[in-house]
Amino acid sequence: IVDRPAALLAMLVSAAFLALGTVMMRRLGGIGMVTQQGWSALIAVPPLLALSLLVEPDGLAALTDASPRAWIGVSYSALVASVLGHGVYFLLLQRHPVAQLTPWMLLTPLMAVGLGIVFWGDRPGPQLWIGGALVLGGVATIALRAMVKARTLPPAREI
């Protein structure tokens, strides 16, 4: 049973856009990492800011009460996760097939859960571990199969 269906829907829509964006980024050519990040920010920030102001009307006022720990988290998210992480991902997509990168992307939720446990004291229950293992195992199986199919076999030698 899902306690918050809107959160599940948001996650599914987010995953679909990540998949679409990955395929589209793979097709880009002749664009540098900084240029790609700049255009992504230019296109994404205004509608996301508007949505945030709509959904969280007191959000700007809350900025004055944000703790240093919160600002460190925002800075990390903006600089390390977004600029560095997505920038490197963009570079890797330009050089390698998507099927080859997908298994490595499965480390993202594992790292998020691990860091949540270490830094925030999260205590995930058995549902998260079992559900996560099923989802990641399924995606890994599909990705590894696609990677194996994508490899070209050398021609057979005649005897």
Side-chain angles (χ1 to χ4, degrees), residues 88-103:
V88 170
Y89 182 57
F90 173 74
L91 291 175
L92 289 171
L93 277 173
Q94 297 300 306
R95 292 172 174 81
H96 304 285
V98 174
Q100 192 174 4
L101 296 177
T102 303

Side-chain angles (χ1 to χ4, degrees), residues 47-59:
L48 290 175
L49 180 60
L51 182 63
S52 177
L53 292 173
L54 179 71
V55 175
E56 301 172 304
D58 297 329

Side-chain angles (χ1 to χ4, degrees), residues 16 21 23 30 50 57 59-60 69 80 87 91 100 113 120 125 130-131 139 142 146:
V23 171
L60 289 177
R69 186 176 185 180
V80 178
L91 291 175
Q100 192 174 4
V113 170
W120 299 103
I130 294 168
V139 172
I142 292 167

